[in-house]
Amino acid sequence: MLRSILGLILTSALTATAFQASQQVFQEEDYFEQNLYEAPSCNNTLLSCHWNGRVDSCCTPKYGLVVLTLQWVPGFGPDKEFTIHGLWPDTCSGGRAPGNGCDRSRVANNIGNIVRDMDPSLHSEMSTFWPSYKGDNNWFWSHEWNKHGTCISTLRPSCYGKEYTKYQDVTAYFKQALELRHYYDLFGALNLAGVIPGQTYNVQTMIEPLEKYVGAKIKMDCDRKGQLSEVSMFFYVEGRDKYKITDAFQKGNCRGAVWYPKKY
């Protein structure tokens, strides 16, 4: 209850200035060529998309609206858990970041091996909560990192200074997505509202308890047959990595009756 109240208060404050903020031009300092030993000193209270003047993109995301999209795919992941599709940095007006990623120098096609070698427990967690329904986890994770992870400006190696170790940015991206997924237990919120898999519900019967739980409007998407497929939550970022939920910038495509299938 307290989290919902705080979330609603924050959402009201953020959305009141969102339009004005989205019109501001992001002017970032050029830190791409800085010495790795010169990590910037950051203001940890700066809220993404609410900039004034020049800002350091090591201290606040250049693409400051971040979308966490969770999937509900029968046959994949634990039967009482939503799994991750991706964590996507977008523009402050709700548009997409570059479709081909933002840093070709950090593109990798072996993310599965990189994560497993760096952090076996993280790899195991990703295998459970971030599986590819196409059966190729490495391809899926590499795609998400190359297209989306490289667009989170606060994860650039130069932003870490002398403390940076190779692929620290990669593991940080996946850990952040997993932490958000664990914090927002969407299955639990639906279950408490009496919405359980294996039945059909009116779309509002599903959306309302979720929005009450997270404290903001969500985006819910269905497939062509009206089956639940994804739920997206939108965030601003305070400082480098404190995610603050706000209302979804787009509406999902679920309409009328929504089929909420069992996983297994």
Side-chain angles (χ1 to χ4, degrees), residues 19 35 43-44 70 78 85 89 94 113 146 150 153 158 185 187 198 205 209 212 214 227 232 248 258 262:
F19 178 79
N35 189 298
N43 175 359
N44 291 324
L70 302 182
H85 185 172
N113 290 336
N146 294 336
T150 60
S153 64
S158 59
D185 179 10
F187 177 88
T205 301
K212 182 178 179 181
V214 304
Q227 176 175 301
S232 298
V258 175
K262 292 182 178 180

Side-chain angles (χ1 to χ4, degrees), residues 58 103 113 161:
C58 280
D103 186 352
N113 290 336

Side-chain angles (χ1 to χ4, degrees), residues 115 119-127 170-172 174-175 178:
V115 172
D119 190 336
S121 64
L122 174 61
H123 183 272
S124 177
E125 193 174 6
M126 288 167 60
S127 298
V170 173
T171 57
F174 290 105
K175 284 179 179 179
L178 285 163

Side-chain angles (χ1 to χ4, degrees), residues 54-254:
R54 297 182 70 85
V55 292
D56 181 352
S57 61
C58 280
C59 297
T60 185
K62 177 179 180 179
Y63 297 101
L65 183 69
V66 182
V67 181
L68 174 69
T69 297
L70 302 182
Q71 300 183 124
W72 186 262
V73 183
F76 291 87
D79 62 346
K80 296 181 180 180
E81 301 279 0
F82 280 77
T83 58
I84 299 171
H85 185 172
L87 185 66
W88 306 330
D90 287 352
T91 69
C92 292
S93 57
R96 293 291 179 90
N100 60 349
C102 298
D103 186 352
R104 300 302 300 173
S105 70
R106 289 187 290 150
V107 165
N109 296 317
N110 60 331
I111 290 297
N113 290 336
I114 289 171
V115 172
R116 185 182 58 216
D117 293 343
M118 290 281 292
D119 190 336
S121 64
L122 174 61
H123 183 272
S124 177
E125 193 174 6
M126 288 167 60
S127 298
T128 300
F129 298 110
W130 203 328
S132 168
Y133 65 80
K134 294 183 179 180
D136 189 341
N137 285 348
N138 176 67
W139 179 91
F140 186 29
W141 300 337
S142 298
H143 169 78
E144 292 301 311
W145 166 254
N146 294 336
K147 181 176 180 179
H148 303 291
T150 60
C151 288
I152 299 181
S153 64
T154 56
L155 295 182
R156 292 202 310 268
S158 59
C159 298
Y160 290 90
K162 65 181 179 180
E163 301 301 322
Y164 177 75
T165 57
K166 191 174 183 180
Y167 299 131
Q168 182 179 2
D169 47 340
V170 173
T171 57
Y173 169 70
F174 290 105
K175 284 179 179 179
Q176 181 65 74
L178 285 163
E179 286 175 5
L180 288 172
R181 194 214 70 86
H182 288 322
Y183 185 80
Y184 291 98
D185 179 10
L186 301 188
F187 177 88
L190 289 172
N191 190 59
L192 286 174
V195 179
I196 58 176
Q199 299 188 42
T200 298
Y201 298 92
N202 180 275
V203 62
Q204 288 304 120
T205 301
M206 300 189 72
I207 288 177
E208 288 176 2
L210 290 177
E211 293 186 339
K212 182 178 179 181
Y213 169 69
V214 304
K217 294 184 182 300
I218 63 167
K219 179 175 180 282
M220 179 180 286
D221 289 302
C222 296
D223 67 14
R224 294 181 180 180
K225 296 180 180 180
Q227 176 175 301
L228 174 67
S229 58
E230 295 184 338
V231 175
S232 298
M233 293 171 283
F234 288 59
F235 299 85
Y236 292 123
V237 184
E238 185 178 70
R240 294 189 65 180
D241 56 9
K242 296 179 182 178
Y243 282 66
K244 304 292 183 180
I245 197 164
T246 189
D247 287 339
F249 274 47
Q250 296 98 27
K251 292 184 178 180
N253 63 13
C254 293

